[in-house]
Amino acid sequence: MLRECLNHWLRRYGEPFQAGAQGYRGLFFQPPGSLLRWLFSPEALGELPRPLWAVAVAPTVSLPDATVLTWRGASYRVLSSLEFRFDAQINGGLYSYEHPKSLRLSPQEVVQLDLEYPKRSQEWKAYYQKRALQPVDRSYLYFCGAGLVSFHIDPYGELSLCMLARQPSYNLRQGTFQEGWQHFLRQVRFQPASQAAPCNGCQWQTLCSQCPGMNQLEYGDSFGKVDYLCEIAHLRAHALDLVSAPAVVDNLSGL
Ligand code: SF4
């Protein structure tokens, strides 16, 4: 399914290029500065030949480093190849915008994609097993790095925990970042989890993308669970044959 979509997309928007005796199609674009800074040190970046182009190709196409390819009559050398990755779960839109949900794959299709990529299935299993032995402290509503190592500021100066969890927010036009970060966000970040939360004790949390931010996008509040994500997690657990694997244990003793 994914390959069909990508091939259709490349046929429509891609351009032909040649690598050795083989002809392919790819989408050429200017590599974003953030990608270049992630791939290369400042010194290496300064020494790279120009112009630089990035090319997106089908996941079946292999272009190892140093491959020479010809595009629009000029030759280029591959400096770095990145692994093909995808995320099949489309989250809800900001401010209850419904349209993204209409583009979603069904939970069954999402899990089918996990199975079509053996490396992906193996990584899910390994991650589940690893986290089963290292339970996450679920005594707080938020259990990720939001408010600890990251934050989000929208174009109106509203400071919030992350780009998904926009509520509550602190207005930086009426206060300082220090006040917002050290006091306001700290309180939001360390609010306790509810004892009645539907995900308490669920052994499939590791396989699930549920979090307060996802819940805000789906239903407008931080509590509860997103049914779409819940169904995917349960289907994934069965598809990966994890039903008899060790359970993830919640630490709710602090409540
Ligand atoms: S949404 Fe469902 S599968 Fe995910 S953690 Fe909550 S109860 Fe478990």
Side-chain angles (χ1 to χ4, degrees):
M1 172 175 51
L2 201 57
R3 287 193 189 100
E4 271 173 38
C5 290
L6 286 168
N7 285 333
H8 171 77
W9 185 72
L10 285 168
R11 275 197 302 274
R12 183 160 182 185
Y13 300 108
E15 289 185 61
F17 71 92
Q18 197 82 17
Q22 282 289 341
Y24 302 103
R25 290 188 80 80
L27 191 73
F28 290 77
F29 59 96
Q30 289 288 302
S34 53
L35 175 66
L36 293 174
R37 287 193 295 277
W38 177 63
L39 286 173
F40 304 104
S41 68
E43 297 75 32
L45 193 52
E47 291 170 6
L48 292 179
R50 310 282 163 156
L52 290 171
W53 287 93
V55 56
V57 294
T60 47
V61 176
S62 170
L63 295 176
D65 292 0
T67 300
V68 174
L69 55 90
T70 310
W71 169 60
R72 292 187 183 175
S75 295
Y76 297 88
R77 182 167 52 93
V78 175
L79 295 172
S80 185
S81 282
L82 302 177
E83 187 183 355
F84 175 74
R85 298 179 63 189
F86 63 90
D87 181 355
Q89 294 176 194
I90 295 180
N91 50 249
L94 286 174
Y95 315 118
S96 305
Y97 183 50
E98 289 286 321
H99 181 62
K101 294 186 206 168
S102 69
L103 302 173
R104 280 174 171 166
L105 299 177
S106 70
Q108 288 78 9
E109 288 171 321
V110 171
V111 174
Q112 184 58 36
L113 284 175
D114 287 343
L115 300 178
E116 283 178 21
Y117 289 81
K119 185 170 177 232
R120 190 178 176 91
S121 302
Q122 284 159 12
E123 285 180 351
W124 269 121
K125 281 187 183 180
Y127 182 60
Y128 176 80
Q129 299 289 359
K130 182 177 161 199
R131 291 296 293 273
L133 300 172
Q134 301 171 339
V136 174
D137 180 358
R138 298 273 180 163
S139 50
Y140 300 109
L141 175 64
Y142 287 88
F143 44 86
C144 60
L148 299 177
V149 296
S150 61
F151 57 86
H152 181 263
I153 302 173
D154 78 5
Y156 306 99
E158 297 290 338
L159 174 69
S160 62
L161 274 184
C162 82
M163 68 171 75
L164 306 183
R166 301 292 186 99
Q167 296 296 330
S169 64
Y170 179 89
N171 192 303
L172 291 172
R173 289 170 298 172
Q174 293 171 3
T176 64
F177 178 81
Q178 187 173 24
E179 170 65 25
W181 172 256
Q182 289 186 347
H183 301 288
F184 180 83
L185 281 194
R186 186 175 169 76
Q187 280 185 354
V188 180
R189 174 61 180 77
F190 289 107
Q191 61 188 301
S194 161
Q195 292 215 37
C199 300
N200 286 351
C202 174
Q203 74 177 103
W204 307 126
Q205 286 177 347
T206 312
L207 305 175
C208 183
S209 304
Q210 171 67 31
C211 73
M214 284 292 200
N215 217 76
Q216 283 193 19
L217 295 179
E218 195 85 10
Y219 303 125
D221 70 69
S222 303
F223 311 94
K225 69 180 174 72
V226 178
D227 293 335
Y228 177 68
L229 300 179
C230 187
E231 189 175 349
I232 290 171
H234 280 83
L235 288 172
R236 181 172 282 143
H238 281 83
L240 297 178
D241 208 15
L242 291 172
V243 175
S244 57
V248 177
V249 181
D250 272 350
N251 177 2
L252 290 171
S253 54
L255 291 176

